[in-house]
Amino acid sequence: MINNNLTLTIINLLINLIDVLLVLLPVLLSVAFMTIIERKQLAAHQRRVGPNTTGYYGILQPFADALKLILKETVIPSQSNKVLFYLAPISTLIFSLLGWGIIPFGEGLTLSDFSLGILYTLALSSLGVYGILFAGWSANSKYAFLGSLRSTAAMISYELILSSAILIVILLTGSFNFTTIIESQQAVWFVVPLLPVFIFYFISILAETSRTPFDLQEAESELVAGFFTEHSSIIFVFFFLAEYSSIVLFSCITAILFFGGYNAPELFINESVINLQSIILGLKTCIFCFLFVWFRATLPRLRYDQLIEFCWLNLLPVAVAFIILVPSILVAFDIAPY
Amino acid sequence: MNTLLMLFIFVPILSVILLALNLLLAPKKADEAKVSAYECGFNAIPGQTRSTFHIHFYIVAMLFLVFDLEILLLFPIAVTLYQVSTYGFSIALIFFIVLTIGFVLEIGSGAISMSTPGNN
């Protein structure tokens, strides 16, 4: 009896582990390839060829980069707080990768069909700010400290806009569950009624992942490298992986919240062995990753005070206006979702 | 033990594995110039690294706190709008308008600006 129970528990654990690996390994691969996509695409925008020596068309470049960075020496400044110095990038990577636990690749096909999925995502993006704060503080260097303060202020300001946009999408859905959000877009994708919301949502996502035009920490002439000035080799890899994982994750969430997720017209009944719906989600995610890099190639950078003023004086009133408008319409015409 | 818990256990293990790989495989030759703080050639003065910073960052954090909590408190009505209908929505609207008055005050008083209007 006890032996039977133990076997079942171990089999359960193994299946859970296989599930996790089945999501995380492709995610890590996609993060690695996102770096080479960015370099090749930036090169294409600038009419040159990106990395093309390692492997065919430079495909093996991210693995060469990872190998180099693992084999490099990690220089820890003598005056830094050693524990926080290691803990900050690890926590940033952890919170970035944990966000993949609730993304649905089919109807209910997630690592965890959490009924509060949206709150989980918002909580993780808020916790990610801690890693940046501790990284700059622990490095005990003037420039890293100032860089982390500015990055933190920018990230938390745009998190308000992100929460507002997500709140408005939830108003149209009536549930926090990601699968329910996708299923309630079968009539029309949410980008059609909520196009202005999509616009300021996308702006806030650019700022959350510290991408151009909000990448003041990568403006090397300003603060060297911002909060990760003192971090080298594997520590830097953690920040790098976390940033690109956030880019891919937020692209995926954009596709889920506004563009119908894994549903496509004429394809919503999946009767084949291949999970066509996850391919649809992957295609939509790729389109938004492309958009991220396109923004980086095209737009100049905002100065820090312009960035903060843009959020608090220009975007937040629009978000507040939509928060008042959308439920008013829903209540007035009695079309609230149930 | 469900899958989400396994994810919570696996991801830290993954990052620790990467860290251990680096500790094993990388050289460790620390000399005086490498482990000093980076200040574009200058020597860092130990007392000035975490000195005072602009009050603006503190103000942004405080305002973020208030407005983030306001938006979070609106999440329950987002999922139960059908049940509470007009009455519940009007209560939420009164709550939101009171906080919007504060927001108007914040914009009008110029709390979010790094430089005072007299400077430049």
Side-chain angles (χ1 to χ4, degrees), chain A residues 16 70 72-74 78-79 137 140 143 230 234, chain B residues 1 3 22 26 29 34-35 37-39 49-50 71:
Chain A
N16 285 338
I70 290 181
K72 257 192 172 192
E73 174 183 357
T74 309
S78 54
Q79 77 281 15
W137 176 260
N140 210 356
Y143 296 109
E230 304 284 350
I234 199 67
Chain B
M1 164 66 91
T3 320
N22 187 32
K29 301 193 189 65
K34 263 201 258 188
V35 298
Y38 180 70
E39 247 182 69
T49 51
R50 287 173 184 168
I71 291 176

mmCIF file with all atom_site columns, all heavy atoms in Angstrom, chain A residues 16 70 72-74 78-79 137 140 143 230 234, chain B residues 1 3 22 26 29 34-35 37-39 49-50 71:
data_model
loop_
_atom_site.group_PDB
_atom_site.id
_atom_site.type_symbol
_atom_site.label_atom_id
_atom_site.label_alt_id
_atom_site.label_comp_id
_atom_site.label_asym_id
_atom_site.label_entity_id
_atom_site.label_seq_id
_atom_site.pdbx_PDB_ins_code
_atom_site.Cartn_x
_atom_site.Cartn_y
_atom_site.Cartn_z
_atom_site.occupancy
_atom_site.B_iso_or_equiv
_atom_site.pdbx_formal_charge
_atom_site.auth_seq_id
_atom_site.auth_comp_id
_atom_site.auth_asym_id
_atom_site.auth_atom_id
_atom_site.pdbx_PDB_model_num
ATOM 1   N N   . ASN A 1 16  ? 5.605  15.969 -13.694 1.00 0.00 ? 16  ASN A N   1
ATOM 2   C CA  . ASN A 1 16  ? 5.674  17.419 -13.507 1.00 0.00 ? 16  ASN A CA  1
ATOM 3   C C   . ASN A 1 16  ? 6.989  17.979 -14.012 1.00 0.00 ? 16  ASN A C   1
ATOM 4   O O   . ASN A 1 16  ? 7.034  19.022 -14.671 1.00 0.00 ? 16  ASN A O   1
ATOM 5   C CB  . ASN A 1 16  ? 5.511  17.764 -12.020 1.00 0.00 ? 16  ASN A CB  1
ATOM 6   C CG  . ASN A 1 16  ? 4.085  17.620 -11.572 1.00 0.00 ? 16  ASN A CG  1
ATOM 7   O OD1 . ASN A 1 16  ? 3.185  17.664 -12.386 1.00 0.00 ? 16  ASN A OD1 1
ATOM 8   N ND2 . ASN A 1 16  ? 3.891  17.463 -10.281 1.00 0.00 ? 16  ASN A ND2 1
ATOM 9   N N   . ILE A 1 70  ? 30.424 32.148 -20.061 1.00 0.00 ? 70  ILE A N   1
ATOM 10  C CA  . ILE A 1 70  ? 30.574 31.224 -18.935 1.00 0.00 ? 70  ILE A CA  1
ATOM 11  C C   . ILE A 1 70  ? 32.042 31.040 -18.598 1.00 0.00 ? 70  ILE A C   1
ATOM 12  O O   . ILE A 1 70  ? 32.415 30.879 -17.440 1.00 0.00 ? 70  ILE A O   1
ATOM 13  C CB  . ILE A 1 70  ? 29.905 29.869 -19.274 1.00 0.00 ? 70  ILE A CB  1
ATOM 14  C CG1 . ILE A 1 70  ? 28.389 30.033 -19.310 1.00 0.00 ? 70  ILE A CG1 1
ATOM 15  C CG2 . ILE A 1 70  ? 30.262 28.824 -18.262 1.00 0.00 ? 70  ILE A CG2 1
ATOM 16  C CD1 . ILE A 1 70  ? 27.672 28.773 -19.601 1.00 0.00 ? 70  ILE A CD1 1
ATOM 17  N N   . LYS A 1 72  ? 34.385 33.231 -18.839 1.00 0.00 ? 72  LYS A N   1
ATOM 18  C CA  . LYS A 1 72  ? 35.086 34.460 -18.479 1.00 0.00 ? 72  LYS A CA  1
ATOM 19  C C   . LYS A 1 72  ? 35.169 34.608 -16.982 1.00 0.00 ? 72  LYS A C   1
ATOM 20  O O   . LYS A 1 72  ? 34.384 34.033 -16.241 1.00 0.00 ? 72  LYS A O   1
ATOM 21  C CB  . LYS A 1 72  ? 34.323 35.657 -19.044 1.00 0.00 ? 72  LYS A CB  1
ATOM 22  C CG  . LYS A 1 72  ? 34.932 36.245 -20.253 1.00 0.00 ? 72  LYS A CG  1
ATOM 23  C CD  . LYS A 1 72  ? 34.293 37.569 -20.566 1.00 0.00 ? 72  LYS A CD  1
ATOM 24  C CE  . LYS A 1 72  ? 35.109 38.186 -21.676 1.00 0.00 ? 72  LYS A CE  1
ATOM 25  N NZ  . LYS A 1 72  ? 34.823 39.547 -21.923 1.00 0.00 ? 72  LYS A NZ  1
ATOM 26  N N   . GLU A 1 73  ? 36.081 35.455 -16.557 1.00 0.00 ? 73  GLU A N   1
ATOM 27  C CA  . GLU A 1 73  ? 36.265 35.630 -15.125 1.00 0.00 ? 73  GLU A CA  1
ATOM 28  C C   . GLU A 1 73  ? 35.206 36.563 -14.579 1.00 0.00 ? 73  GLU A C   1
ATOM 29  O O   . GLU A 1 73  ? 34.906 37.595 -15.157 1.00 0.00 ? 73  GLU A O   1
ATOM 30  C CB  . GLU A 1 73  ? 37.650 36.223 -14.866 1.00 0.00 ? 73  GLU A CB  1
ATOM 31  C CG  . GLU A 1 73  ? 37.896 36.587 -13.435 1.00 0.00 ? 73  GLU A CG  1
ATOM 32  C CD  . GLU A 1 73  ? 39.249 37.231 -13.257 1.00 0.00 ? 73  GLU A CD  1
ATOM 33  O OE1 . GLU A 1 73  ? 39.987 37.334 -14.247 1.00 0.00 ? 73  GLU A OE1 1
ATOM 34  O OE2 . GLU A 1 73  ? 39.546 37.638 -12.135 1.00 0.00 ? 73  GLU A OE2 1
ATOM 35  N N   . THR A 1 74  ? 34.605 36.200 -13.456 1.00 0.00 ? 74  THR A N   1
ATOM 36  C CA  . THR A 1 74  ? 33.635 37.075 -12.798 1.00 0.00 ? 74  THR A CA  1
ATOM 37  C C   . THR A 1 74  ? 34.376 37.974 -11.836 1.00 0.00 ? 74  THR A C   1
ATOM 38  O O   . THR A 1 74  ? 34.885 37.530 -10.815 1.00 0.00 ? 74  THR A O   1
ATOM 39  C CB  . THR A 1 74  ? 32.595 36.248 -12.028 1.00 0.00 ? 74  THR A CB  1
ATOM 40  O OG1 . THR A 1 74  ? 32.077 35.260 -12.890 1.00 0.00 ? 74  THR A OG1 1
ATOM 41  C CG2 . THR A 1 74  ? 31.489 37.126 -11.546 1.00 0.00 ? 74  THR A CG2 1
ATOM 42  N N   . SER A 1 78  ? 35.686 44.969 -4.904  1.00 0.00 ? 78  SER A N   1
ATOM 43  C CA  . SER A 1 78  ? 36.069 44.649 -3.535  1.00 0.00 ? 78  SER A CA  1
ATOM 44  C C   . SER A 1 78  ? 35.159 45.322 -2.535  1.00 0.00 ? 78  SER A C   1
ATOM 45  O O   . SER A 1 78  ? 34.996 44.833 -1.430  1.00 0.00 ? 78  SER A O   1
ATOM 46  C CB  . SER A 1 78  ? 37.517 45.071 -3.300  1.00 0.00 ? 78  SER A CB  1
ATOM 47  O OG  . SER A 1 78  ? 37.660 46.434 -3.654  1.00 0.00 ? 78  SER A OG  1
ATOM 48  N N   . GLN A 1 79  ? 34.546 46.441 -2.924  1.00 0.00 ? 79  GLN A N   1
ATOM 49  C CA  . GLN A 1 79  ? 33.767 47.172 -1.934  1.00 0.00 ? 79  GLN A CA  1
ATOM 50  C C   . GLN A 1 79  ? 32.281 46.853 -2.027  1.00 0.00 ? 79  GLN A C   1
ATOM 51  O O   . GLN A 1 79  ? 31.478 47.521 -1.415  1.00 0.00 ? 79  GLN A O   1
ATOM 52  C CB  . GLN A 1 79  ? 33.981 48.682 -2.101  1.00 0.00 ? 79  GLN A CB  1
ATOM 53  C CG  . GLN A 1 79  ? 33.230 49.298 -3.259  1.00 0.00 ? 79  GLN A CG  1
ATOM 54  C CD  . GLN A 1 79  ? 33.906 49.055 -4.577  1.00 0.00 ? 79  GLN A CD  1
ATOM 55  O OE1 . GLN A 1 79  ? 34.786 48.202 -4.698  1.00 0.00 ? 79  GLN A OE1 1
ATOM 56  N NE2 . GLN A 1 79  ? 33.502 49.795 -5.591  1.00 0.00 ? 79  GLN A NE2 1
ATOM 57  N N   . TRP A 1 137 ? 22.493 48.887 -6.033  1.00 0.00 ? 137 TRP A N   1
ATOM 58  C CA  . TRP A 1 137 ? 22.887 49.215 -4.668  1.00 0.00 ? 137 TRP A CA  1
ATOM 59  C C   . TRP A 1 137 ? 24.091 48.401 -4.235  1.00 0.00 ? 137 TRP A C   1
ATOM 60  O O   . TRP A 1 137 ? 25.013 48.922 -3.608  1.00 0.00 ? 137 TRP A O   1
ATOM 61  C CB  . TRP A 1 137 ? 21.708 48.954 -3.729  1.00 0.00 ? 137 TRP A CB  1
ATOM 62  C CG  . TRP A 1 137 ? 22.010 49.167 -2.301  1.00 0.00 ? 137 TRP A CG  1
ATOM 63  C CD1 . TRP A 1 137 ? 22.300 48.215 -1.377  1.00 0.00 ? 137 TRP A CD1 1
ATOM 64  C CD2 . TRP A 1 137 ? 22.081 50.413 -1.627  1.00 0.00 ? 137 TRP A CD2 1
ATOM 65  N NE1 . TRP A 1 137 ? 22.534 48.808 -0.156  1.00 0.00 ? 137 TRP A NE1 1
ATOM 66  C CE2 . TRP A 1 137 ? 22.405 50.148 -0.284  1.00 0.00 ? 137 TRP A CE2 1
ATOM 67  C CE3 . TRP A 1 137 ? 21.905 51.736 -2.029  1.00 0.00 ? 137 TRP A CE3 1
ATOM 68  C CZ2 . TRP A 1 137 ? 22.541 51.152 0.658   1.00 0.00 ? 137 TRP A CZ2 1
ATOM 69  C CZ3 . TRP A 1 137 ? 22.046 52.730 -1.082  1.00 0.00 ? 137 TRP A CZ3 1
ATOM 70  C CH2 . TRP A 1 137 ? 22.361 52.434 0.239   1.00 0.00 ? 137 TRP A CH2 1
ATOM 71  N N   . ASN A 1 140 ? 27.925 49.269 -5.129  1.00 0.00 ? 140 ASN A N   1
ATOM 72  C CA  . ASN A 1 140 ? 28.639 50.292 -4.363  1.00 0.00 ? 140 ASN A CA  1
ATOM 73  C C   . ASN A 1 140 ? 29.505 51.174 -5.246  1.00 0.00 ? 140 ASN A C   1
ATOM 74  O O   . ASN A 1 140 ? 30.664 51.433 -4.971  1.00 0.00 ? 140 ASN A O   1
ATOM 75  C CB  . ASN A 1 140 ? 29.503 49.644 -3.274  1.00 0.00 ? 140 ASN A CB  1
ATOM 76  C CG  . ASN A 1 140 ? 29.646 50.573 -2.088  1.00 0.00 ? 140 ASN A CG  1
ATOM 77  O OD1 . ASN A 1 140 ? 29.168 51.708 -2.126  1.00 0.00 ? 140 ASN A OD1 1
ATOM 78  N ND2 . ASN A 1 140 ? 30.298 50.108 -1.048  1.00 0.00 ? 140 ASN A ND2 1
ATOM 79  N N   . TYR A 1 143 ? 28.015 55.265 -10.331 1.00 0.00 ? 143 TYR A N   1
ATOM 80  C CA  . TYR A 1 143 ? 27.276 55.202 -11.581 1.00 0.00 ? 143 TYR A CA  1
ATOM 81  C C   . TYR A 1 143 ? 26.263 54.081 -11.587 1.00 0.00 ? 143 TYR A C   1
ATOM 82  O O   . TYR A 1 143 ? 25.153 54.235 -12.083 1.00 0.00 ? 143 TYR A O   1
ATOM 83  C CB  . TYR A 1 143 ? 28.253 55.053 -12.749 1.00 0.00 ? 143 TYR A CB  1
ATOM 84  C CG  . TYR A 1 143 ? 29.147 56.245 -12.872 1.00 0.00 ? 143 TYR A CG  1
ATOM 85  C CD1 . TYR A 1 143 ? 30.486 56.171 -12.549 1.00 0.00 ? 143 TYR A CD1 1
ATOM 86  C CD2 . TYR A 1 143 ? 28.625 57.468 -13.282 1.00 0.00 ? 143 TYR A CD2 1
ATOM 87  C CE1 . TYR A 1 143 ? 31.291 57.273 -12.631 1.00 0.00 ? 143 TYR A CE1 1
ATOM 88  C CE2 . TYR A 1 143 ? 29.426 58.562 -13.365 1.00 0.00 ? 143 TYR A CE2 1
ATOM 89  C CZ  . TYR A 1 143 ? 30.758 58.468 -13.043 1.00 0.00 ? 143 TYR A CZ  1
ATOM 90  O OH  . TYR A 1 143 ? 31.551 59.559 -13.124 1.00 0.00 ? 143 TYR A OH  1
ATOM 91  N N   . GLU A 1 230 ? 29.107 47.009 -12.969 1.00 0.00 ? 230 GLU A N   1
ATOM 92  C CA  . GLU A 1 230 ? 30.120 46.215 -12.281 1.00 0.00 ? 230 GLU A CA  1
ATOM 93  C C   . GLU A 1 230 ? 29.926 44.726 -12.478 1.00 0.00 ? 230 GLU A C   1
ATOM 94  O O   . GLU A 1 230 ? 30.725 43.932 -12.010 1.00 0.00 ? 230 GLU A O   1
ATOM 95  C CB  . GLU A 1 230 ? 30.063 46.530 -10.781 1.00 0.00 ? 230 GLU A CB  1
ATOM 96  C CG  . GLU A 1 230 ? 30.229 47.990 -10.464 1.00 0.00 ? 230 GLU A CG  1
ATOM 97  C CD  . GLU A 1 230 ? 31.655 48.427 -10.581 1.00 0.00 ? 230 GLU A CD  1
ATOM 98  O OE1 . GLU A 1 230 ? 32.525 47.572 -10.726 1.00 0.00 ? 230 GLU A OE1 1
ATOM 99  O OE2 . GLU A 1 230 ? 31.913 49.630 -10.542 1.00 0.00 ? 230 GLU A OE2 1
ATOM 100 N N   . ILE A 1 234 ? 29.067 35.718 -15.975 1.00 0.00 ? 234 ILE A N   1
ATOM 101 C CA  . ILE A 1 234 ? 27.827 34.971 -15.786 1.00 0.00 ? 234 ILE A CA  1
ATOM 102 C C   . ILE A 1 234 ? 26.753 35.846 -15.158 1.00 0.00 ? 234 ILE A C   1
ATOM 103 O O   . ILE A 1 234 ? 25.559 35.687 -15.429 1.00 0.00 ? 234 ILE A O   1
ATOM 104 C CB  . ILE A 1 234 ? 28.090 33.690 -14.964 1.00 0.00 ? 234 ILE A CB  1
ATOM 105 C CG1 . ILE A 1 234 ? 26.945 32.712 -15.155 1.00 0.00 ? 234 ILE A CG1 1
ATOM 106 C CG2 . ILE A 1 234 ? 28.227 34.009 -13.490 1.00 0.00 ? 234 ILE A CG2 1
ATOM 107 C CD1 . ILE A 1 234 ? 26.835 32.162 -16.519 1.00 0.00 ? 234 ILE A CD1 1
ATOM 108 N N   . MET B 2 1   ? 1.963  18.456 -4.796  1.00 0.00 ? 1   MET B N   1
ATOM 109 C CA  . MET B 2 1   ? 3.057  18.847 -5.682  1.00 0.00 ? 1   MET B CA  1
ATOM 110 C C   . MET B 2 1   ? 2.526  18.960 -7.105  1.00 0.00 ? 1   MET B C   1
ATOM 111 O O   . MET B 2 1   ? 2.338  17.973 -7.785  1.00 0.00 ? 1   MET B O   1
ATOM 112 C CB  . MET B 2 1   ? 4.161  17.793 -5.618  1.00 0.00 ? 1   MET B CB  1
ATOM 113 C CG  . MET B 2 1   ? 5.157  17.889 -6.748  1.00 0.00 ? 1   MET B CG  1
ATOM 114 S SD  . MET B 2 1   ? 6.127  19.377 -6.693  1.00 0.00 ? 1   MET B SD  1
ATOM 115 C CE  . MET B 2 1   ? 7.506  18.824 -5.739  1.00 0.00 ? 1   MET B CE  1
ATOM 116 N N   . THR B 2 3   ? 2.539  21.206 -11.010 1.00 0.00 ? 3   THR B N   1
ATOM 117 C CA  . THR B 2 3   ? 3.588  21.599 -11.953 1.00 0.00 ? 3   THR B CA  1
ATOM 118 C C   . THR B 2 3   ? 4.152  22.975 -11.637 1.00 0.00 ? 3   THR B C   1
ATOM 119 O O   . THR B 2 3   ? 5.344  23.222 -11.835 1.00 0.00 ? 3   THR B O   1
ATOM 120 C CB  . THR B 2 3   ? 3.028  21.578 -13.375 1.00 0.00 ? 3   THR B CB  1
ATOM 121 O OG1 . THR B 2 3   ? 2.183  20.449 -13.506 1.00 0.00 ? 3   THR B OG1 1
ATOM 122 C CG2 . THR B 2 3   ? 4.127  21.486 -14.379 1.00 0.00 ? 3   THR B CG2 1
ATOM 123 N N   . ASN B 2 22  ? 30.136 28.564 -13.983 1.00 0.00 ? 22  ASN B N   1
ATOM 124 C CA  . ASN B 2 22  ? 31.110 29.632 -14.100 1.00 0.00 ? 22  ASN B CA  1
ATOM 125 C C   . ASN B 2 22  ? 32.149 29.551 -12.999 1.00 0.00 ? 22  ASN B C   1
ATOM 126 O O   . ASN B 2 22  ? 33.341 29.727 -13.237 1.00 0.00 ? 22  ASN B O   1
ATOM 127 C CB  . ASN B 2 22  ? 30.403 30.990 -14.040 1.00 0.00 ? 22  ASN B CB  1
ATOM 128 C CG  . ASN B 2 22  ? 31.360 32.108 -14.324 1.00 0.00 ? 22  ASN B CG  1
ATOM 129 O OD1 . ASN B 2 22  ? 32.296 31.953 -15.072 1.00 0.00 ? 22  ASN B OD1 1
ATOM 130 N ND2 . ASN B 2 22  ? 31.143 33.236 -13.701 1.00 0.00 ? 22  ASN B ND2 1
ATOM 131 N N   . ALA B 2 26  ? 35.811 29.121 -14.830 1.00 0.00 ? 26  ALA B N   1
ATOM 132 C CA  . ALA B 2 26  ? 36.426 30.393 -15.185 1.00 0.00 ? 26  ALA B CA  1
ATOM 133 C C   . ALA B 2 26  ? 37.680 30.624 -14.357 1.00 0.00 ? 26  ALA B C   1
ATOM 134 O O   . ALA B 2 26  ? 37.784 30.145 -13.234 1.00 0.00 ? 26  ALA B O   1
ATOM 135 C CB  . ALA B 2 26  ? 35.426 31.521 -14.957 1.00 0.00 ? 26  ALA B CB  1
ATOM 136 N N   . LYS B 2 29  ? 41.673 35.429 -11.369 1.00 0.00 ? 29  LYS B N   1
ATOM 137 C CA  . LYS B 2 29  ? 42.922 36.134 -11.109 1.00 0.00 ? 29  LYS B CA  1
ATOM 138 C C   . LYS B 2 29  ? 42.576 37.566 -10.779 1.00 0.00 ? 29  LYS B C   1
ATOM 139 O O   . LYS B 2 29  ? 42.451 38.406 -11.665 1.00 0.00 ? 29  LYS B O   1
ATOM 140 C CB  . LYS B 2 29  ? 43.832 36.105 -12.340 1.00 0.00 ? 29  LYS B CB  1
ATOM 141 C CG  . LYS B 2 29  ? 44.207 34.739 -12.838 1.00 0.00 ? 29  LYS B CG  1
ATOM 142 C CD  . LYS B 2 29  ? 45.340 34.862 -13.841 1.00 0.00 ? 29  LYS B CD  1
ATOM 143 C CE  . LYS B 2 29  ? 45.580 33.542 -14.518 1.00 0.00 ? 29  LYS B CE  1
ATOM 144 N NZ  . LYS B 2 29  ? 44.462 33.097 -15.345 1.00 0.00 ? 29  LYS B NZ  1
ATOM 145 N N   . LYS B 2 34  ? 41.450 45.466 -11.128 1.00 0.00 ? 34  LYS B N   1
ATOM 146 C CA  . LYS B 2 34  ? 40.211 44.850 -11.590 1.00 0.00 ? 34  LYS B CA  1
ATOM 147 C C   . LYS B 2 34  ? 39.097 44.988 -10.574 1.00 0.00 ? 34  LYS B C   1
ATOM 148 O O   . LYS B 2 34  ? 37.948 45.189 -10.936 1.00 0.00 ? 34  LYS B O   1
ATOM 149 C CB  . LYS B 2 34  ? 40.459 43.354 -11.875 1.00 0.00 ? 34  LYS B CB  1
ATOM 150 C CG  . LYS B 2 34  ? 40.717 43.041 -13.326 1.00 0.00 ? 34  LYS B CG  1
ATOM 151 C CD  . LYS B 2 34  ? 40.450 41.598 -13.594 1.00 0.00 ? 34  LYS B CD  1
ATOM 152 C CE  . LYS B 2 34  ? 41.753 40.856 -13.677 1.00 0.00 ? 34  LYS B CE  1
ATOM 153 N NZ  . LYS B 2 34  ? 41.580 39.466 -14.119 1.00 0.00 ? 34  LYS B NZ  1
ATOM 154 N N   . VAL B 2 35  ? 39.435 44.828 -9.286  1.00 0.00 ? 35  VAL B N   1
ATOM 155 C CA  . VAL B 2 35  ? 38.343 44.780 -8.306  1.00 0.00 ? 35  VAL B CA  1
ATOM 156 C C   . VAL B 2 35  ? 37.991 46.153 -7.769  1.00 0.00 ? 35  VAL B C   1
ATOM 157 O O   . VAL B 2 35  ? 37.166 46.260 -6.874  1.00 0.00 ? 35  VAL B O   1
ATOM 158 C CB  . VAL B 2 35  ? 38.684 43.840 -7.128  1.00 0.00 ? 35  VAL B CB  1
ATOM 159 C CG1 . VAL B 2 35  ? 38.876 42.452 -7.638  1.00 0.00 ? 35  VAL B CG1 1
ATOM 160 C CG2 . VAL B 2 35  ? 39.881 44.345 -6.388  1.00 0.00 ? 35  VAL B CG2 1
ATOM 161 N N   . ALA B 2 37  ? 36.236 49.949 -8.085  1.00 0.00 ? 37  ALA B N   1
ATOM 162 C CA  . ALA B 2 37  ? 35.024 50.421 -8.739  1.00 0.00 ? 37  ALA B CA  1
ATOM 163 C C   . ALA B 2 37  ? 35.367 51.115 -10.045 1.00 0.00 ? 37  ALA B C   1
ATOM 164 O O   . ALA B 2 37  ? 36.456 51.664 -10.211 1.00 0.00 ? 37  ALA B O   1
ATOM 165 C CB  . ALA B 2 37  ? 34.270 51.372 -7.812  1.00 0.00 ? 37  ALA B CB  1
ATOM 166 N N   . TYR B 2 38  ? 34.422 51.104 -10.971 1.00 0.00 ? 38  TYR B N   1
ATOM 167 C CA  . TYR B 2 38  ? 34.680 51.681 -12.286 1.00 0.00 ? 38  TYR B CA  1
ATOM 168 C C   . TYR B 2 38  ? 34.211 53.119 -12.297 1.00 0.00 ? 38  TYR B C   1
ATOM 169 O O   . TYR B 2 38  ? 33.040 53.401 -12.145 1.00 0.00 ? 38  TYR B O   1
ATOM 170 C CB  . TYR B 2 38  ? 33.949 50.881 -13.364 1.00 0.00 ? 38  TYR B CB  1
ATOM 171 C CG  . TYR B 2 38  ? 34.191 51.431 -14.741 1.00 0.00 ? 38  TYR B CG  1
ATOM 172 C CD1 . TYR B 2 38  ? 35.438 51.311 -15.340 1.00 0.00 ? 38  TYR B CD1 1
ATOM 173 C CD2 . TYR B 2 38  ? 33.193 52.082 -15.433 1.00 0.00 ? 38  TYR B CD2 1
ATOM 174 C CE1 . TYR B 2 38  ? 35.668 51.818 -16.586 1.00 0.00 ? 38  TYR B CE1 1
ATOM 175 C CE2 . TYR B 2 38  ? 33.414 52.591 -16.676 1.00 0.00 ? 38  TYR B CE2 1
ATOM 176 C CZ  . TYR B 2 38  ? 34.660 52.460 -17.256 1.00 0.00 ? 38  TYR B CZ  1
ATOM 177 O OH  . TYR B 2 38  ? 34.880 52.975 -18.501 1.00 0.00 ? 38  TYR B OH  1
ATOM 178 N N   . GLU B 2 39  ? 35.146 54.058 -12.522 1.00 0.00 ? 39  GLU B N   1
ATOM 179 C CA  . GLU B 2 39  ? 34.728 55.448 -12.630 1.00 0.00 ? 39  GLU B CA  1
ATOM 180 C C   . GLU B 2 39  ? 35.498 56.144 -13.728 1.00 0.00 ? 39  GLU B C   1
ATOM 181 O O   . GLU B 2 39  ? 35.953 57.263 -13.560 1.00 0.00 ? 39  GLU B O   1
ATOM 182 C CB  . GLU B 2 39  ? 34.924 56.170 -11.289 1.00 0.00 ? 39  GLU B CB  1
ATOM 183 C CG  . GLU B 2 39  ? 33.596 56.558 -10.665 1.00 0.00 ? 39  GLU B CG  1
ATOM 184 C CD  . GLU B 2 39  ? 33.754 57.296 -9.376  1.00 0.00 ? 39  GLU B CD  1
ATOM 185 O OE1 . GLU B 2 39  ? 34.214 58.437 -9.407  1.00 0.00 ? 39  GLU B OE1 1
ATOM 186 O OE2 . GLU B 2 39  ? 33.424 56.710 -8.340  1.00 0.00 ? 39  GLU B OE2 1
ATOM 187 N N   . THR B 2 49  ? 29.922 56.924 -2.595  1.00 0.00 ? 49  THR B N   1
ATOM 188 C CA  . THR B 2 49  ? 29.233 56.049 -3.539  1.00 0.00 ? 49  THR B CA  1
ATOM 189 C C   . THR B 2 49  ? 27.744 55.965 -3.253  1.00 0.00 ? 49  THR B C   1
ATOM 190 O O   . THR B 2 49  ? 26.943 55.836 -4.145  1.00 0.00 ? 49  THR B O   1
ATOM 191 C CB  . THR B 2 49  ? 29.823 54.648 -3.499  1.00 0.00 ? 49  THR B CB  1
ATOM 192 O OG1 . THR B 2 49  ? 29.864 54.230 -2.149  1.00 0.00 ? 49  THR B OG1 1
ATOM 193 C CG2 . THR B 2 49  ? 31.209 54.624 -4.081  1.00 0.00 ? 49  THR B CG2 1
ATOM 194 N N   . ARG B 2 50  ? 27.357 55.993 -1.995  1.00 0.00 ? 50  ARG B N   1
ATOM 195 C CA  . ARG B 2 50  ? 25.932 55.893 -1.689  1.00 0.00 ? 50  ARG B CA  1
ATOM 196 C C   . ARG B 2 50  ? 25.456 57.139 -0.981  1.00 0.00 ? 50  ARG B C   1
ATOM 197 O O   . ARG B 2 50  ? 24.753 57.076 -0.002  1.00 0.00 ? 50  ARG B O   1
ATOM 198 C CB  . ARG B 2 50  ? 25.673 54.690 -0.794  1.00 0.00 ? 50  ARG B CB  1
ATOM 199 C CG  . ARG B 2 50  ? 25.784 53.398 -1.535  1.00 0.00 ? 50  ARG B CG  1
ATOM 200 C CD  . ARG B 2 50  ? 25.692 52.275 -0.579  1.00 0.00 ? 50  ARG B CD  1
ATOM 201 N NE  . ARG B 2 50  ? 25.888 51.010 -1.248  1.00 0.00 ? 50  ARG B NE  1
ATOM 202 C CZ  . ARG B 2 50  ? 26.075 49.876 -0.608  1.00 0.00 ? 50  ARG B CZ  1
ATOM 203 N NH1 . ARG B 2 50  ? 26.097 49.891 0.710   1.00 0.00 ? 50  ARG B NH1 1
ATOM 204 N NH2 . ARG B 2 50  ? 26.223 48.765 -1.276  1.00 0.00 ? 50  ARG B NH2 1
ATOM 205 N N   . ILE B 2 71  ? -5.199 51.147 -8.655  1.00 0.00 ? 71  ILE B N   1
ATOM 206 C CA  . ILE B 2 71  ? -5.558 50.296 -9.787  1.00 0.00 ? 71  ILE B CA  1
ATOM 207 C C   . ILE B 2 71  ? -5.789 48.864 -9.326  1.00 0.00 ? 71  ILE B C   1
ATOM 208 O O   . ILE B 2 71  ? -6.690 48.175 -9.804  1.00 0.00 ? 71  ILE B O   1
ATOM 209 C CB  . ILE B 2 71  ? -4.483 50.389 -10.872 1.00 0.00 ? 71  ILE B CB  1
ATOM 210 C CG1 . ILE B 2 71  ? -4.528 51.778 -11.481 1.00 0.00 ? 71  ILE B CG1 1
ATOM 211 C CG2 . ILE B 2 71  ? -4.675 49.352 -11.936 1.00 0.00 ? 71  ILE B CG2 1
ATOM 212 C CD1 . ILE B 2 71  ? -3.486 52.027 -12.482 1.00 0.00 ? 71  ILE B CD1 1
#
